Amino acid sequence: MLQQAAGNDASPEEDIEAPKGKFTTSAYSPNTPSHGPVFLVKAIVGKVVTIFRGSGDNDGAIELSRDFTLGIIIGLFMIANLVILDHTNIIHSDSAHNIRRTGFKLLNDPETIAFFEESSDLKFLPMYLYDNMREEITSQKRNADLQKVVDKRTAEENEKIREKEALKKEFESLVNHPTLELDKYCGGCIWNLATTCNGRVTFLQDKYGMGLYSAKLSAMEIKTCKK
């Protein structure tokens, strides 16, 4: 009986990382909602804090590694803040100034730059050279756009020239058609005993704004303007 009571009173060790409430069941069910991102973040942060805070069960190696890591992080953070404060002239520290000057000198060293370029597959350029290259690229792009416009206008002009040549050939074929008999026009002949045929054509053009061939056809209504 005592053993049974003890067995009933004994409870399994509680998992402090297990979710509470409706997430406490350990069996998987399709109807059970999955853990949200907020819960997962809290669980990860809690685990990291637990490791760094340590417990009595940790051995010396883990504690030493933890203290060493925390010391490096805190040291780098303080050095970075000191350099920033010195750079902004809030405080003046010779050590921070020397660190900053050494860092700039190291970053400007050709060997260091070559190492970073080779490692990162990038090319570091001075600002003036970078600006010149950007200006050159912009200029080339602008020239390319202008060249496209010029090529388009040239193509349109060539197309119009081809159309003009085709119309000219068609016009000449119509003018030289035997029905019109324009090839028989006699410009020096007398028109209606008053003027020459060319004079009549000029009069019609000036007076009525007629075209050259229309004026010739009108003048040729008098048979004397035909050869």
Side-chain angles (χ1 to χ4, degrees):
M1 295 294 293
L2 293 176
Q3 294 178 352
Q4 184 177 0
N8 293 334
D9 294 336
S11 59
E13 184 179 355
E14 182 180 1
D15 187 359
I16 61 174
E17 297 181 3
K20 305 300 182 182
K22 59 181 180 180
F23 297 107
T24 54
T25 177
S26 60
Y28 172 77
S29 173
N31 298 325
T32 302
S34 60
H35 299 323
V38 177
F39 169 77
L40 295 177
V41 171
K42 289 182 178 180
I44 294 173
V45 172
K47 189 66 175 178
V48 173
V49 172
T50 302
I51 293 174
F52 277 101
R53 291 174 63 183
S55 63
D57 297 334
N58 291 334
D59 55 14
I62 295 178
E63 293 182 359
L64 180 62
S65 176
R66 179 196 64 201
D67 296 340
F68 180 74
T69 303
L70 286 176
I72 292 178
I73 294 174
I74 294 173
L76 292 176
F77 179 75
M78 294 187 66
I79 292 175
N81 284 335
L82 188 63
V83 171
I84 293 174
L85 293 175
D86 179 73
H87 179 69
T88 54
N89 293 325
I90 296 177
I91 64 173
H92 179 73
S93 174
D94 292 336
S95 299
H97 186 72
N98 292 333
I99 291 174
R100 184 161 54 90
R101 183 174 57 186
T102 303
F104 281 119
K105 183 178 179 181
L106 183 62
L107 291 176
N108 291 325
D109 183 60
E111 295 182 358
T112 304
I113 295 176
F115 172 77
F116 280 115
E117 288 179 345
E118 183 178 357
S119 301
S120 60
D121 197 20
L122 297 174
K123 180 64 177 177
F124 298 98
L125 299 173
M127 284 304 300
Y128 75 91
L129 185 57
Y130 173 75
D131 292 337
N132 292 340
M133 293 180 66
R134 285 194 60 183
E135 181 64 26
E136 181 67 21
I137 293 173
T138 304
S139 177
Q140 292 294 336
K141 184 178 179 181
R142 190 184 305 112
N143 293 337
D145 294 339
L146 293 176
Q147 186 62 39
K148 290 181 181 179
V149 174
V150 172
D151 294 340
K152 182 179 179 181
R153 297 290 186 269
T154 303
E156 292 176 353
E157 183 180 0
N158 292 335
E159 182 66 22
K160 291 180 179 180
I161 291 175
R162 287 192 293 268
E163 293 177 358
K164 179 181 178 181
E165 292 295 332
L167 291 174
K168 184 178 180 181
K169 291 180 180 179
E170 183 178 1
F171 176 77
E172 290 177 352
S173 64
L174 292 175
V175 169
N176 297 326
H177 196 276
T179 303
L180 299 178
E181 296 182 339
L182 285 173
D183 56 331
K184 296 181 180 180
Y185 172 74
C186 179
C189 297
I190 302 300
W191 180 86
N192 202 18
L193 301 176
T195 183
T196 63
C197 295
N198 284 340
R200 178 63 180 174
V201 169
T202 303
F203 171 79
L204 293 175
Q205 287 179 311
D206 296 339
K207 182 69 175 179
Y208 302 104
M210 297 178 65
L212 175 63
Y213 295 101
S214 298
K216 285 183 178 182
L217 291 174
S218 178
M220 289 173 63
E221 292 178 359
I222 302 300
K223 295 182 179 181
T224 56
C225 288
K226 292 183 179 180
K227 296 179 182 179

